[in-house]
């Protein structure tokens, strides 16, 4: 037998791309260990395990990283009010560094020589997985899309499907997925479909009672209470799953956008981020209520850069680490309760309260003068009119 080129930890989903690269890596002489990340998606992991082994994987890891995904990746994005290009809540972009980090941990545990993925060169998935590999003493073999060899280089999804048929790994997509000329990603933060086809939305449910996220310093959600039936969730993962269910029934967080990818092309993306949308609005509201105006202006600028770095795959970069630290420090006064409702795709803020509130009803009242001298406004206006 030919000597092995080394062990590869492959980020594996059981879909077309990763099934093909598993077989391709085996053909190139590598020992492959498949790694499946559970980030809250509904999937038959056991079926995916059996498929990986049938295709030649030496071993299969199935890792539940949903809790750390929420606490260590989603919460910092909530603190930042992170939005890429004003609309995208970074669902898949936040998942990638979490998945890749565990992949490197497994590689170190197994003494593997390489990590690999099935991402193409067009999306930002490639950057996210590859960059983390380069930060560690582990190499990243060129994905088959970049160098599969002249004999089988795929130039389209159809050619890849044909190759999969030759290898015997076609037509075995994980439960809940569908064969289509598009890329589908599911996880606890949301659902994304990158496609050129129409999006069919499900029917909206009838109104449900109001959930109320509570945000303490350093401002991460700690509890959600449904004021209608008294249901309460406190753990990060439980809270997020509950909000996904409530908001998902009302079609909250669905967007159809054209975005700018890191590599320079425009791409159509269809996203659904129910819980993330609720938390975005809740946090934005309590932050405006408790944070100094000038600090908030600076923080908004940092959030724009943070969103760009995360989207482009630079979560583990020193500049992104610096931004997370700065944004985290800004959250110290962001404490309180937000009351809200969801209905027919919308999130409605109904009220808020906080022990760190900067709102002074007497000061802004038109009926009470309070600690404000109206005559001071004359000098303020004159100075601002000098230019």
């Amino acid at each position: 037998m030919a000597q092995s080129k080394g062990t590869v930890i492959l980020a594996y989903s059981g879909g077309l791309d990763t099934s093909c690269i598993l077989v391709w890596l085996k053909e190139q002489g590598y020992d492959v260990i498949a790694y499946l990340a559970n980030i809250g998606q509904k999937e038959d992991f056991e079926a995916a395990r059996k498929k990986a082994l049938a295709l030649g994987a030496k071993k299969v890891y199935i890792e539940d990283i949903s809790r750390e995904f929420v606490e260590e990746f989603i919460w910092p994005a909530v603190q930042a009010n992170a939005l890429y290009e004003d609309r995208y809540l970074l669902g898949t972009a936040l998942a990638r560094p979490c998945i890749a980090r565990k992949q490197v941990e497994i590689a170190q545990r197994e003494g593997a020589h390489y990590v690999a993925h099935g991402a193409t060169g067009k999306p930002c998935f490639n950057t996210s997985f590859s960059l983390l590999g380069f930060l560690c003493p582990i190499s990243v073999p060129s994905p088959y899309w970049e160098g599969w060899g002249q004999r089988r280089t795929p130039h389209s999804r159809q050619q890849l499907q044909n190759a999969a048929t030759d290898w015997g790994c076609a037509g075995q997509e994980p439960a809940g997925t569908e064969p289509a000329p598009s890329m589908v990603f599911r996880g606890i933060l949301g659902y994304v479909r990158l496609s050129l086809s129409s999006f069919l939305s499900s029917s909206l449910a009838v109104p449900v009672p109001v959930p109320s996220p509570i945000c303490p310093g350093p401002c991460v959600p700690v509890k959600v209470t449904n004021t209608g039936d008294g249901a309460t969730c406190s753990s990060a993962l439980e809270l997020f799953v509950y909000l996904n269910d409530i908001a998902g029934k009302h079609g909250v967080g669905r967007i159809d956008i054209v975005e700018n990818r890191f590599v320079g092309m425009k791409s159509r993306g269809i996203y659904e981020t129910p819980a993330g949308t609720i938390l975005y609005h809740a946090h934005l509201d309590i932050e405006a209520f408790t944070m100094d105006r000038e600090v908030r202006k600076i923080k908004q600028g940092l959030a724009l850069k943070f969103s760009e770095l995360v989207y482009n795959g630079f979560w583990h970069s020193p500049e992104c680490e610096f931004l997370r630290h700065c944004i985290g420090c800004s959250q110290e006064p962001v404490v309180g309760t937000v009351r809200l409702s969801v209905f027919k795709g919308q999130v409605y803020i109904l009220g808020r309260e906080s022990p760190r509130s900067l709102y002074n009803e007497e000061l802004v009242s038109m009926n009470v003068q309070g600690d404000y001298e109206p005559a001071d406004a004359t000098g303020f206006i004159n100075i601002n009119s000098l230019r």
Side-chain angles (χ1 to χ4, degrees):
M1 293 180 63
Q3 186 176 359
S4 171
K5 291 182 179 180
T7 300
V8 180
I9 308 299
L10 171 64
Y12 180 78
S13 69
L16 178 63
D17 293 323
T18 55
S19 294
C20 283
I21 198 173
L22 194 162
V23 177
W24 178 78
L25 286 167
K26 288 284 295 178
E27 278 195 350
Q28 303 308 303
Y30 296 99
D31 290 327
V32 181
I33 295 178
Y35 150 60
L36 291 88
N38 178 358
I39 55 170
Q41 70 270 38
K42 304 297 183 184
E43 188 172 319
D44 189 340
F45 289 100
E46 191 54 37
R49 179 203 298 275
K50 291 178 180 178
K51 180 179 179 181
L53 293 172
L55 293 175
K58 181 180 177 182
K59 185 189 295 188
V60 178
Y61 278 87
I62 299 177
E63 299 285 325
D64 186 345
I65 57 174
S66 52
R67 183 189 58 79
E68 57 197 86
F69 178 38
V70 173
E71 295 178 352
E72 300 176 39
F73 293 85
I74 295 177
W75 281 177
V78 171
Q79 289 180 330
N81 298 122
L83 276 182
Y84 180 69
E85 297 188 337
D86 303 316
R87 290 184 289 177
Y88 174 38
L89 284 165
L90 300 168
T92 58
L94 288 167
R96 294 179 216 131
C98 182
I99 294 170
R101 186 179 69 178
K102 181 63 69 174
Q103 183 183 17
V104 170
E105 288 178 16
I106 294 172
Q108 293 171 335
R109 190 187 317 165
E110 288 285 340
H113 306 81
Y114 309 98
V115 293
H117 53 82
T120 72
K122 287 187 177 181
C124 299
F125 289 82
N126 193 4
T127 309
S128 303
F129 283 104
S130 297
L131 282 177
L132 183 57
F134 289 125
L135 290 173
C136 306
I138 297 173
S139 300
V140 184
S142 294
Y144 58 88
W145 285 92
E146 298 174 13
W148 201 0
Q150 296 301 313
R151 184 169 61 90
R152 289 187 175 180
T153 301
H155 298 288
S156 67
R157 296 292 291 183
Q158 185 56 55
Q159 290 182 20
L160 183 62
Q161 185 69 49
N162 294 340
T165 301
D166 293 341
W167 276 329
C169 57
Q172 302 176 48
E173 299 298 314
T177 65
E178 66 281 353
S182 62
M183 179 171 59
V184 180
F185 174 92
R186 291 176 177 84
I188 192 173
L189 186 52
Y191 169 98
V192 55
R193 177 171 181 157
L194 305 180
S195 175
L196 296 179
S197 61
S198 300
F199 178 66
L200 302 177
S201 59
S202 58
S203 300
L204 299 179
V206 296
V208 295
V210 180
S212 305
I214 301 178
C215 302
C219 197
V220 294
V222 293
K223 184 169 70 173
V224 59
T225 301
N226 190 318
T227 57
D229 60 14
T232 298
C233 301
S234 298
S235 75
L237 184 57
E238 180 188 31
L239 180 156
F240 206 87
V241 170
Y242 182 75
L243 288 180
N244 258 342
D245 181 58
I246 291 289
K249 290 176 180 178
H250 288 268
V252 168
R254 292 175 179 172
I255 58 172
D256 181 338
I257 64 173
V258 175
E259 66 202 72
N260 291 294
R261 288 184 181 170
F262 186 28
V263 292
M265 64 185 68
K266 290 187 183 291
S267 169
R268 183 186 180 191
I270 299 169
Y271 300 95
E272 185 173 355
T273 318
T277 301
I278 281 187
L279 292 173
Y280 171 82
H281 287 288
H283 177 266
L284 188 65
D285 188 78
I286 202 69
E287 185 177 83
F289 192 48
T290 58
M291 185 178 286
D292 176 79
R293 180 185 69 178
E294 297 305 314
V295 172
R296 189 160 182 267
K297 285 181 181 178
I298 295 173
K299 190 256 181 179
Q300 285 176 306
L302 297 179
L304 287 175
K305 185 62 179 178
F306 170 81
S307 301
E308 179 184 295
L309 288 172
V310 172
Y311 183 84
N312 291 342
F314 288 86
W315 176 276
H316 295 285
S317 67
E319 64 269 32
C320 193
E321 182 179 347
F322 171 73
L323 287 179
R324 291 198 301 274
H325 175 75
C326 292
I327 291 170
C329 289
S330 76
Q331 299 300 291
E332 190 273 332
V334 186
V335 182
T337 303
V338 182
R339 299 189 308 279
L340 55 86
S341 65
V342 292
F343 183 60
K344 289 190 175 181
Q346 299 298 316
V347 177
Y348 299 95
I349 301 295
L350 305 178
R352 79 287 299 160
E353 59 185 62
S354 170
R356 300 293 297 273
S357 167
L358 297 181
Y359 175 76
N360 186 322
E361 186 175 3
E362 184 179 86
L363 186 62
V364 299
S365 172
M366 302 298 290
N367 298 318
V368 181
Q369 179 172 320
D371 297 326
Y372 179 77
E373 179 52 60
D376 292 341
T378 301
F380 177 80
I381 293 169
N382 289 337
I383 288 174
N384 276 278
S385 69
L386 288 178
R387 60 178 179 150

